[in-house]
Amino acid sequence: MVDTFDIAIVGGGGAGLTAALYAARGMRSTIVFEGNVTGGQIATTDLVENYPGFPEGINGFDLGQNILRQAEKFGARVEYALVDSLTRLNTGSFELVADGNMYRARSVIVTAGADYNKLGVPGEAEFVGKGVSYCATCDAAFFGGQDVIVVGGGDAALDEALFTTRYVKSVTIVHRRDTLRASGILQDRAKANPAISFLLDTTVERIEGDGGVERVVLKNVRTGELSERKTAAVFIFIGQTPNSHLLKGMVELDAGGHAMVDLSMKTCVPGLFVAGDLRTQAARQLISAAGDGATAAISAEHYLQALG
Amino acid sequence: MSDVREVTDATWEADVLKSELPVLVDFWAPWCGPCRMVGPIVEELSQEYKEKVTFFKMNTDENANVPTQHGIRSIPSLLIFKGGELKGTVVGFRPKSDIKKRLEEALA
């Protein structure tokens, strides 16, 4: 016996949980699949300062769990399982396989978001959990009083570098270009922080150590010169890749791999919606992801009503 | 009543290394969001594996020695010991099914 839901949501971040809240509150049987931590990218953000309604800011994990509780209160079911496949059946409904279990849904909202990019250099995979980290909020406290590097020049890199200075002696921000991409306010804060210094036009070539990170080999991209630098940790924030593998062959993707949708989050497949960071031209903010989730849930509702 | 007890640097050897039963230790800290999601899973497992596995949690803010000895630089981290030897590790949040699989592998 396969469980059939009105609305299945793939991904339990800001977009997915908000879609679930709307869908469940609209009395639709709703299931959310999340393969990792509910809350998505904000789950590892120490302080969310730009979500309206929280003038003092709010811890990202707490905010995510609040939205989760709100969705569950209206009856949304959450399965901690990774969706391996999504198929549209001849009947027009969808079949999902998650951790080997099969589910059916009359409509699907994919909010699978994006995953952090890896540097792809020797030592990176080897030292994950031993000094290589993609979450300063989680791991910075283990490097108290030590020197660390943060790789990247966007908002995430600067935000996490600023957080890390609470624990470490110094943070060196290594960025491959000669200018930072981060917003002005974060740049100002980082430049004003005496514990933060910058190494621009520089890439990480290798991460080395014995049992844990001890040093990196850096390359100046202008001169090609290599240098070695001692560091206890390498925090990596170099952008993201959309999780669009489930959609390949079903939905048109843009050049960056994001799903093409219209303003109501509809894809070209009837009953299939995409919302949040995975959709084309997303603002990649929690508030816009949440807004997308609400829009997608309303569109799914209209779709189900039309089916009768 | 929770079956997941606190272990400290001081009680580590007696509680974990000299335990007759296999042991799973959950390294966590109050400020770590993902740790707060792993906690309830470990609680559930402690019920499912009653009398087969002993479950502990260690607050890494309050205990420095054991986390350093085991090179823990990321939490949540789950370490599984059998006969005083490390048999398995789970770093970061994983769904319950994954943690259970790792535990079964370590027990085999």
Side-chain angles (χ1 to χ4, degrees), chain A:
Chain A
M1 185 53 200
V2 179
D3 284 342
T4 301
F5 294 84
D6 290 326
I7 302 178
I9 297 163
V10 182
L17 293 177
T18 306
L21 159 63
Y22 272 74
R25 192 165 179 271
M27 306 295 285
R28 292 295 182 181
S29 60
T30 305
I31 186 165
V32 181
F33 297 96
E34 171 56 60
N36 204 307
V37 180
T38 37
Q41 290 175 40
I42 54 155
T44 49
T45 305
D46 178 50
L47 188 65
V48 177
E49 285 186 309
N50 53 9
Y51 195 80
F54 300 93
E56 312 305 324
I58 180 169
N59 174 272
F61 181 79
D62 290 336
L63 179 54
Q65 296 304 300
N66 284 348
I67 308 173
L68 170 68
R69 277 219 313 276
Q70 209 172 344
E72 286 181 327
K73 186 178 90 176
F74 291 112
R77 177 172 145 193
V78 178
E79 279 293 318
Y80 287 94
L82 204 60
V83 175
D84 304 308
S85 74
L86 168 66
T87 327
R88 188 166 191 262
L89 306 172
N90 291 334
T91 56
S93 25
F94 296 86
E95 190 175 276
L96 299 98
V97 179
D99 279 1
N101 296 313
M102 195 184 286
Y103 303 83
R104 288 218 172 122
R106 295 164 69 210
S107 67
V108 173
I109 304 172
V110 180
T111 58
D115 268 347
Y116 290 113
N117 288 339
K118 308 260 190 308
L119 282 172
V121 300
E124 182 181 17
E126 185 187 343
F127 293 127
V128 168
K130 296 192 177 303
V132 169
S133 171
Y134 305 90
C135 176
T137 326
C138 312
D139 302 336
F142 292 101
F143 304 96
Q146 303 187 67
D147 302 307
V148 304
I149 72 167
V150 165
V151 186
D155 280 354
L158 266 60
D159 214 17
E160 303 273 348
L162 284 160
F163 176 83
T164 304
T165 60
R166 291 190 203 174
Y167 299 97
V168 303
K169 190 165 88 191
S170 80
V171 178
T172 305
I173 296 177
V174 175
H175 183 47
R176 64 191 164 138
R177 301 189 198 286
D178 62 352
T179 51
L180 300 169
R181 193 162 31 81
S183 61
I185 184 168
L186 287 174
Q187 289 201 32
D188 290 348
R189 278 186 207 165
K191 283 171 184 162
N193 191 315
I196 295 180
S197 59
F198 295 87
L199 266 181
L200 301 178
D201 282 327
T202 303
T203 55
V204 175
E205 293 296 295
R206 285 197 298 281
I207 302 167
E208 298 177 340
D210 183 14
V213 172
E214 290 170 5
R215 63 195 165 269
V216 286
V217 175
L218 302 173
K219 180 181 172 185
N220 182 308
V221 296
R222 288 195 185 273
T223 63
E225 195 185 330
L226 296 176
S227 62
E228 219 177 75
R229 191 179 185 92
K230 281 207 164 74
T231 184
V234 183
F235 293 100
I236 300 166
F237 306 100
I238 50 162
Q240 306 162 341
T241 304
N243 288 319
S244 50
H245 55 276
L246 284 180
L247 301 173
K248 275 188 186 132
M250 277 176 103
V251 170
E252 196 187 340
L253 304 177
D254 70 14
H258 303 88
M260 300 297 285
V261 292
D262 69 7
L263 289 174
S264 59
M265 306 301 139
K266 277 195 201 88
T267 67
C268 49
V269 179
L272 178 61
F273 306 85
V274 175
D277 285 9
L278 181 53
R279 74 148 163 110
T280 191
Q281 292 180 7
R284 299 208 277 123
Q285 298 298 306
L286 175 60
I287 183 65
S288 53
D292 275 8
T295 304
I298 290 166
S299 298
E301 173 62 32
H302 291 162
Y303 170 79
L304 291 171
Q305 276 174 16
L307 282 186

